[in-house]
Amino acid sequence: MSDLVAIESINLTKSFAAGQVAVSGLDLRIAPGTVYGLVGRNGAGKSTALRLLMGLLRPDQGSARILGNNLWQADRSQRSRIGYVAQRQLLPGRMSLEDLGRYVGRFYEDWDHLKWHSLVKRWGMNLKVAVGRMSGGEQRKAALLLAIHAMPQVLILDEPAAGLDSVARRELLDLLIELIQLRPETTLLISTHHIGDLA
């Protein structure tokens, strides 16, 4: 993979039971510092493509690399350069945002606990409340904040605005802009079925 490619897939293909083809021959090359939108209707295979890129599914054919690494074999230091929020992100229900910050922070060299507390409060969330007691929208915000605060080199967001109200969507956009301004080399891949989420 060239140094000028942050995310790359070649002939990426995945089928499920009964021959259902989710991803067929996907060729993708995304340069560092790029904001890239993966747009398609529900069921088009976007989430499957992202899971293949992240090494969470094994492809039937083809290859996928992020920052030059096949994430099936990537070690902790390589994975720590990548942030990912799945369409249905599951966080430990018994942990609070303070607990999650301490836990997730162990995986990232640049994690700043004071800034984490500040960011959570800025979004009007309570550091002490268990995730399992939060609404669906609050849990979505928590997952997004964890991924963005890690300041990854590559950030992959699957339907990031799902479950967020209009104010939270605006806050999310502002936060992504701040991340890109602070770290212009960050590559952002957003999957969505709403064109408005990329506007």
Side-chain angles (χ1 to χ4, degrees):
M1 187 187 91
S2 163
D3 290 341
L4 299 179
V5 181
I7 301 173
E8 182 177 51
S9 71
I10 300 172
N11 192 35
L12 199 59
T13 301
K14 181 67 178 178
S15 297
F16 293 109
Q20 177 191 1
V21 178
V23 178
S24 178
L26 176 64
D27 292 327
L28 187 65
R29 287 173 62 87
I30 303 176
T34 302
V35 177
Y36 190 94
L38 187 61
V39 182
R41 65 179 185 232
N42 285 331
K46 302 183 302 298
S47 294
T48 301
L50 298 187
R51 292 175 70 198
L52 289 164
L53 287 169
M54 288 299 302
L56 301 173
L57 287 176
R58 201 178 280 276
D60 298 332
Q61 295 179 41
S63 63
R65 293 183 179 274
I66 299 179
L67 300 174
N69 301 300
N70 176 338
L71 295 190
W72 272 107
Q73 293 122 4
D75 61 28
R76 175 177 163 176
S77 66
Q78 293 166 334
R79 286 182 170 274
S80 72
R81 298 158 63 198
I82 303 161
Y84 170 61
V85 178
Q87 185 174 12
R88 293 179 181 87
Q89 190 81 24
L90 296 176
L91 298 175
R94 294 185 180 182
M95 296 179 79
S96 68
L97 290 181
E98 187 166 34
D99 297 332
L100 279 169
R102 278 196 299 268
Y103 175 75
V104 172
R106 295 176 185 159
F107 297 95
Y108 295 96
E109 294 178 6
D110 297 332
W111 190 271
D112 185 319
H113 289 286
L114 290 178
K115 286 184 179 178
W116 167 246
H117 285 197
S118 175
L119 180 60
V120 169
K121 289 175 182 175
R122 173 177 153 192
W123 268 43
M125 301 180 74
N126 189 326
L127 281 158
K128 304 293 185 182
V129 173
V131 169
R133 297 180 62 194
M134 295 178 183
S135 69
E138 287 177 321
Q139 291 185 34
R140 188 68 178 166
K141 287 197 286 186
L144 289 164
L145 291 178
L146 285 164
I148 293 168
H149 183 65
M151 299 280 289
Q153 283 181 254
V154 171
L155 179 59
I156 297 177
L157 304 177
D158 192 0
E159 299 285 355
L164 300 183
D165 60 32
S166 58
V167 173
R169 284 175 184 241
R170 181 72 239 180
E171 290 173 337
L172 172 60
L173 180 59
D174 290 343
L175 199 55
L176 292 173
I177 290 170
E178 283 179 31
L179 172 63
I180 292 166
Q181 288 174 336
L182 287 170
R183 193 167 187 169
E185 70 275 17
T186 296
T187 304
L188 177 57
L189 171 57
I190 300 176
S191 165
T192 182
H193 65 280
H194 288 297
I195 297 291
D197 289 345
L198 299 173

